[in-house]
Amino acid sequence: MIAITRDVARTIQNAELTHVDRQRIDYATAAAQHEEYRRLLASLGCEVVSLQADDAHPDCVFVEDTAIVLDDLAVITRPGAESRRGETPAIADALRPYRKLVHIEAPATIDGGDVLVTDDRIYVGLSTRTNEAAIEQLRLHTRREVVPVPVGGALHLKTAVTRVAHDTLLMNPEWVDAALFADWKRIDVDPSEPMGGNALLIGDVVIYPTAFPRTLAKLQHLDVRTIDASELAKAEGGVTCCVLGVRRP
Ligand code: CIR
């Protein structure tokens, strides 16, 4: 898999925040943790692409939000936060060698963090960032079933639910209706760790933050590699949001 990543902007302190209080974010620590994350991706066999940051876009490290990469095409998003819309041209340039590109157009808005792609479905969070118009546009670009999922309390769908195995989801059922995922096996986050639902599955390996030990204990039957993602968590980012995975054709 090709893993498209982008450096941390030196302006990361000015990241958009929705559900977390602003704290000081140390650029050097964030960049070092991000390098460690890239090394982990490379050790798992990913071909890591590292794009330069754009300091005019404090959130540019969170590349997941800028595109939805499918097997035959990539959908360039129109991010819900206006401050993030200028992040997409660099990502379109990076994806162009690998996929035909299509674009979400106004008035639709969608962040890739709201999009959970599975073999036959695409679940799309209806959040403060993603609207119904985007779901309608996405339907025009895929044969997969597109399932809208109202998200309450979390920034994105994938803050609340991610895949940890081919048939298993990790979920905070406080933030999404678990009934919409009834045909999956499910592991719930520990209630004391509401932000613990964001894991990144690479092949059969689960990348998971060290910050949620109680939920981690529920994943011990899986091949889990933990990382310290605490500095970018202060910018409301999790482990999925720093990568765009592109499967080789
Ligand atoms: C934002 O609010 O857009 C960024 N500060 C965090 C984005 C995190 N993205 C993601 O989880 N996919």
Side-chain angles (χ1 to χ4, degrees), residues 189-211:
V189 299
D190 186 275
S192 67
E193 297 172 344
M195 296 288 277
N198 186 259
L200 174 62
L201 186 63
I202 302 283
D204 293 326
V205 175
V206 179
I207 298 181
Y208 195 69
T210 48

Side-chain angles (χ1 to χ4, degrees), residues 9 43 46-47 59-60 69 104 124-125 136 153 155 157 166 169 193 220 230:
S43 76
C46 295
E47 181 188 321
D59 282 303
C60 67
V69 183
I104 296 291
V124 182
E136 291 313 312
L155 177 60
L157 175 66
H166 75 280
L169 299 176
E193 297 172 344
Q220 285 310 325
S230 54

Side-chain angles (χ1 to χ4, degrees), residues 15-18 59 62 64-65 81 84 87 111-114 129 155-156 158-159 198 232 235-238 240-242:
E16 292 280 340
L17 295 179
T18 306
D59 282 303
F62 302 123
E64 171 179 60
D65 294 317
R84 300 201 55 193
E87 295 175 28
D111 282 9
D114 274 318
R129 299 289 175 86
L155 177 60
H156 289 131
K158 279 189 281 189
T159 323
N198 186 259
L232 287 178
E236 223 169 339
T240 61
C241 51
C242 293

Side-chain angles (χ1 to χ4, degrees), residues 64-228:
E64 171 179 60
D65 294 317
T66 58
I68 302 151
V69 183
L70 302 175
D71 289 338
D72 49 347
L73 80 162
V75 180
I76 304 300
T77 65
R78 182 166 181 268
E82 205 177 341
S83 70
R84 300 201 55 193
R85 298 211 178 126
E87 295 175 28
T88 57
I91 301 297
D93 287 346
L95 287 170
R96 199 167 284 115
Y98 309 111
R99 293 291 189 275
K100 175 186 159 201
L101 302 183
V102 296
H103 294 260
I104 296 291
E105 310 284 355
T109 62
I110 186 166
D111 282 9
D114 274 318
V115 182
L116 178 64
V117 179
T118 69
D119 298 338
D120 52 357
R121 286 184 208 141
I122 303 179
Y123 296 93
V124 182
L126 285 170
S127 68
T128 56
R129 299 289 175 86
T130 298
N131 61 20
E132 297 268 6
I135 291 185
E136 291 313 312
Q137 290 185 26
L138 191 57
R139 283 197 172 114
L140 301 176
H141 298 304
T142 179
R143 273 192 296 243
R144 289 183 173 101
E145 182 191 4
V146 178
V147 182
V149 183
V151 177
L155 177 60
H156 289 131
L157 175 66
K158 279 189 281 189
T159 323
V161 55
T162 50
R163 222 167 160 179
V164 288
H166 75 280
D167 59 353
T168 310
L169 299 176
L170 176 63
M171 184 182 293
N172 179 341
E174 297 290 312
W175 288 341
V176 288
D177 179 2
L180 292 170
F181 301 92
D183 48 357
W184 291 83
K185 289 185 196 159
R186 204 176 107 200
I187 299 170
D188 287 351
V189 299
D190 186 275
S192 67
E193 297 172 344
M195 296 288 277
N198 186 259
L200 174 62
L201 186 63
I202 302 283
D204 293 326
V205 175
V206 179
I207 298 181
Y208 195 69
T210 48
F212 309 112
R214 291 182 176 168
T215 305
L216 175 64
K218 297 181 169 206
L219 304 176
Q220 285 310 325
H221 59 294
L222 302 168
D223 184 358
V224 181
R225 314 289 165 88
T226 52
I227 51 160
D228 183 354

